[in-house]
Amino acid sequence: MSAARTRYSGPIKQAEVHPHSLIEQGFASDEALAAILDRYPAELFDINLYDYDEAGQVSLRTGARGRLNGEELLAAIQQGRLWVNLREVETGWPELWAAAMAEFRKVQGAYPGLRAVRNAGQLILSSPRARVPYHFDAAGVVLFHMRGRKRIFVYPGDEAHLAEADMEQVVSRQTTEELPYSLAFEADAQVMDLEPGQALTWPIYAPHRVENLDRFCISLSMDFQTWPSRFRNGALYTNAVLRSRGGQPRMTDRMTGPELAARWAASLALKRVGGLKSRIAHFERDFEPEIGAADGAGALRA
Ligand SMILES: [Fe+2]
């Protein structure tokens, strides 16, 4: 394992906790959540159920929004084993988003040189025993934790834990964000327990996974792009295209700033001509949330 937690230099050198005040502002109460679940657009829901084998390998079932009202859906999550993600908080819950952006600016201020150029948020409601598999986000992340307790495992973003060829597949949407994972990685994890009122950030691209600690959890996951992350993502995309054509592109961590910028510019042109078609299938749904059903997952209804 390398001493650095990431091979990509950036203002955030290790996982660190910051305070936030989103709970005091009332965004984590059952009443506020039931009300927002009632009016949140159905197409912005991801409902997942993760299972793991003894080697830590994950399998995924996906849920439809279903017809429970907000209060019932909340109860199904609290009793079940579901992971519910409300995308685009910036449009779905503008009041929370405005408050979260104010908190983000304070976190950003703690890192000289960190300048986000685009932010987006997902509100995550998850069951007491839900676990999120090993993955990375092609962005910076601040996880504002609002209810329950979570254990976050952050791993070094080096080639052994996060091969660039795998990153290319994710960035070019040839696969979902799950990465090759081995239990041996656990020896290299930085492990942190997150309490309500704490926000966690980590080095850009660092792979991570999450275990809820026996309580219903609410977090706002805010991701952000900087110009360096845009250049990096563009370079990874261009490398994915080159590799799909039989090339053996150089790793982006060996590239200079101008080279990365040139590869980013190339990625824009490649995307315009449809360089790589997304291979992420439109999931067939496996279940819909149901109070009292095993894991909170009931049968799909027509
Ligand atoms: Fe993540």
Side-chain angles (χ1 to χ4, degrees):
M1 183 181 104
S2 58
R5 300 301 293 185
T6 172
R7 74 188 119 182
Y8 308 120
S9 62
I12 305 171
K13 307 291 185 203
Q14 57 180 0
E16 280 171 341
V17 167
H18 301 264
H20 72 79
S21 70
L22 296 175
I23 305 160
E24 295 90 307
Q25 298 181 58
F27 294 112
S29 70
D30 277 355
E31 297 70 28
L33 292 167
I36 199 68
L37 285 170
D38 269 331
R39 65 169 206 260
Y40 218 85
E43 67 273 17
L44 297 180
F45 276 75
D46 297 317
I47 303 181
N48 292 348
L49 180 48
Y50 297 106
D51 290 294
Y52 298 83
D53 66 17
E54 281 172 14
Q57 304 303 305
V58 67
S59 56
L60 165 70
R61 282 176 279 166
T62 62
R65 165 66 182 82
R67 13 186 133 172
L68 300 185
N69 68 28
E71 204 175 325
E72 293 164 338
L73 181 53
L74 198 57
I77 302 167
Q78 288 172 340
Q79 295 171 14
R81 201 161 53 78
L82 304 172
W83 182 87
V84 175
N85 184 36
L86 310 182
R87 296 191 310 276
E88 295 180 29
V89 172
E90 55 276 26
T91 51
W93 196 354
E95 298 84 2
L96 171 59
W97 185 248
M101 279 304 293
E103 298 292 338
F104 174 80
R105 282 187 277 273
K106 292 186 221 165
V107 174
Q108 178 172 257
Y111 298 97
L114 183 63
R115 245 194 327 277
V117 290
R118 187 186 156 276
N119 297 57
Q122 300 88 42
L123 185 66
I124 301 166
L125 287 69
S126 51
S127 295
R129 289 180 300 116
R131 292 163 58 188
V132 178
Y134 186 78
H135 71 282
F136 83 104
D137 301 284
V141 176
V142 180
L143 187 68
F144 294 98
H145 191 48
M146 296 160 64
R147 233 170 110 174
R149 289 179 68 218
K150 279 183 172 178
R151 183 163 293 166
I152 323 274
F153 302 74
V154 182
Y155 305 79
D158 55 18
E159 186 67 14
H161 299 83
L162 181 67
E164 275 213 348
D166 294 324
M167 297 176 76
E168 292 168 9
Q169 294 290 299
V170 171
V171 167
S172 61
R173 298 181 61 77
Q174 301 301 294
T175 176
T176 54
E177 287 167 63
E178 273 100 56
L179 296 167
Y181 167 78
S182 148
L183 289 175
F185 291 175
E186 292 311 312
D188 307 322
Q190 190 185 353
V191 184
M192 276 146 304
D193 289 354
L194 212 52
E195 304 283 346
Q198 294 183 322
L200 186 69
T201 190
W202 51 78
I204 198 154
Y205 301 106
H208 51 278
R209 65 183 188 87
V210 184
E211 291 182 359
N212 286 0
L213 296 176
D214 263 332
R215 290 183 208 167
F216 167 64
C217 284
I218 305 168
S219 306
L220 174 69
S221 174
M222 184 187 282
D223 58 79
F224 61 92
Q225 297 296 336
T226 62
W227 274 110
S229 73
R230 275 188 177 162
F231 288 161
R232 179 81 50 194
N233 289 343
L236 288 166
Y237 184 94
T238 296
N239 277 1
V241 175
L242 294 173
R243 203 181 293 278
S244 76
R245 296 173 180 171
Q248 292 195 316
R250 287 161 56 230
M251 283 207 252
T252 72
D253 58 359
R254 313 245 168 88
M255 293 179 188
T256 62
E259 281 179 286
L260 290 169
R263 296 234 165 185
W264 165 73
S267 77
L268 298 183
L270 287 166
K271 284 176 188 174
R272 263 198 303 277
V273 298
L276 274 178
K277 291 271 176 283
S278 170
R279 271 200 233 154
I280 299 178
H282 203 73
F283 285 113
E284 290 298 324
R285 305 298 177 187
D286 303 303
F287 65 89
E288 62 182 62
E290 185 181 318
I291 298 170
D295 298 327
L300 277 175
R301 293 186 290 177

